[in-house]
Amino acid sequence: MKGENQTSATEFIIVGFYDFPHLLVPLFLSFLLIYILVLLGNLLIMVIVYSNKQLHTPMFFFLTNLAFLDISYTTMIFPNMLAHFFLEVTHISLNGCLLMFMVSTEFFLLPVMAYDRYVAICNPLQYVTIMNDVVCLKLAAGCWLLSLIDPILHIVLTSRLSFCGSHTINHFFCDVVVVMTLSCSSTGDIEAASYVVGTLVGVAPFALTITSYINIISTILKIRSTEGRSKAFSTCASHLTVVILFYGVICSTYMRPSSTASVKYNKVLSLLYVALTPLCNPIIY
């Protein structure tokens, strides 16, 4: 039975960036510009690929999925974040908060794109046969379906938590780690589940990506001509850059000792995750 001071949270308060009062105006303008650039850059990729039949290839098909993903999860976060600059206190329901966890699709899209480059470079004569339209559609659908594992698990487990005292989240969006710190319930099962799912969602796709690139690099090194090696590497350079950027940001945001964490530091690093990668992806490609 719950104690008198223990309740099921139905609403949280998002603090946003009000602990940076002297920077509110420049921060608002900067985030607004970033959001506009993310929308324009990724929409431009989708329009160009759709309108140019020469770009109707597996690589650009997966790239449009990545562009759509970047638009989707920045739109889940940025409009609410921008509204915080006008409202000192912003409320969000637990369900609305949990929906923001649904951003793990990129973990699955990147290894699929790496596999596409692996087939193109290591098995060029069979590329059209292996990466046909049906296979590409199945791979893309699989990425979106598999990405639901993490948020559904967190939705089920976190919705059972009880909260006491403050329901204030000192962040600009609902990070599951921050939500758990407010709970009076034991979070051991969520932490264990997060570790297992994190291994499946994060480590396994990363291992597949690395495996693809080991084979790609090995094949490129066997090419005798410098021009041939340069041409082969250029076909995967953009994706490799995105992979390094994405995992670099993820590692700096979530894989660090808890003793080094602070509220303001967390906000800055989280901005790298939700803003830097979707902004840079269209620039890189």
Side-chain angles (χ1 to χ4, degrees):
M1 176 178 281
K2 298 175 184 176
E4 292 182 0
N5 63 338
Q6 201 170 1
T7 61
S8 295
T10 58
E11 193 173 64
F12 291 97
I13 298 173
I14 302 290
V15 173
F17 290 91
Y18 268 82
D19 48 354
F20 300 94
H22 57 293
L23 294 176
L24 288 181
V25 173
L27 284 175
F28 172 80
L29 295 175
S30 298
F31 297 152
L32 179 61
L33 177 61
I34 290 173
Y35 183 51
I36 292 173
L37 291 176
V38 168
L39 293 181
L40 291 178
N42 287 285
L43 280 173
L44 183 61
I45 285 180
M46 297 174 68
V47 170
I48 291 175
V49 172
Y50 177 79
S51 60
N52 190 337
K53 291 186 178 180
Q54 292 182 340
L55 299 180
H56 292 183
T57 63
M59 180 177 69
F60 288 103
F61 170 72
F62 294 124
L63 180 58
T64 56
N65 276 265
L66 181 61
F68 177 76
L69 170 66
D70 287 341
I71 291 173
S72 298
Y73 78 72
T74 52
T75 300
M76 291 171 63
I77 295 175
F78 267 73
N80 287 327
M81 182 175 67
L82 292 171
H84 296 165
F85 288 94
F86 298 98
L87 303 171
E88 185 170 354
V89 177
T90 304
H91 299 271
I92 187 170
S93 67
L94 179 60
N95 290 334
C97 196
L98 293 175
L99 287 175
M100 291 187 177
F101 298 156
M102 304 175 70
V103 294
S104 57
T105 310
E106 192 162 355
F107 282 102
F108 299 100
L109 270 176
L110 291 179
V112 166
M113 296 173 76
Y115 174 71
D116 170 72
R117 294 298 83 205
Y118 159 76
V119 177
I121 293 174
C122 300
N123 296 286
L125 298 179
Q126 299 179 8
Y127 179 72
V128 176
T129 303
I130 296 174
M131 300 300 294
N132 58 65
D133 292 345
V134 175
V135 170
C136 290
L137 286 172
K138 288 181 178 179
L139 288 172
C143 290
W144 290 97
L145 290 175
L146 286 172
S147 67
L148 295 175
I149 295 174
D150 186 37
I152 287 176
L153 178 66
H154 280 115
I155 286 172
V156 172
L157 294 177
T158 310
S159 62
R160 296 179 180 178
L161 293 177
S162 297
F163 298 84
C164 55
S166 174
H167 288 186
T168 300
I169 297 176
N170 193 357
H171 214 296
F172 60 89
F173 73 101
C174 288
D175 190 340
V176 62
V177 177
V178 181
V179 172
M180 284 194 298
T181 60
L182 302 177
S183 175
C184 298
S185 307
S186 172
T187 59
D189 55 346
I190 298 180
E191 293 174 0
S194 296
Y195 178 80
V196 174
V197 174
T199 301
L200 296 175
V201 172
V203 178
F206 179 69
L208 292 174
T209 303
I210 293 298
T211 301
S212 294
Y213 271 103
I214 289 174
N215 286 281
I216 289 171
I217 294 172
S218 175
T219 300
I220 291 176
L221 291 176
K222 293 177 182 177
I223 299 175
R224 294 182 178 180
S225 69
T226 303
E227 182 181 354
R229 288 196 298 268
S230 176
K231 184 177 180 180
F233 181 75
S234 67
T235 63
C236 58
S238 296
H239 177 260
L240 182 59
T241 303
V242 169
V243 168
I244 293 172
L245 175 65
F246 177 75
Y247 281 102
V249 169
I250 289 295
C251 290
S252 63
T253 304
Y254 294 105
M255 297 181 182
R256 64 185 188 280
S258 58
S259 60
T260 65
S262 69
V263 173
K264 294 183 179 181
Y265 188 59
N266 285 339
K267 289 182 182 181
V268 173
L269 290 177
S270 295
L271 275 174
L272 294 178
Y273 176 62
V274 302
L276 184 62
T277 52
L279 178 64
C280 290
N281 286 348
I283 296 174
I284 293 170
Y285 279 102

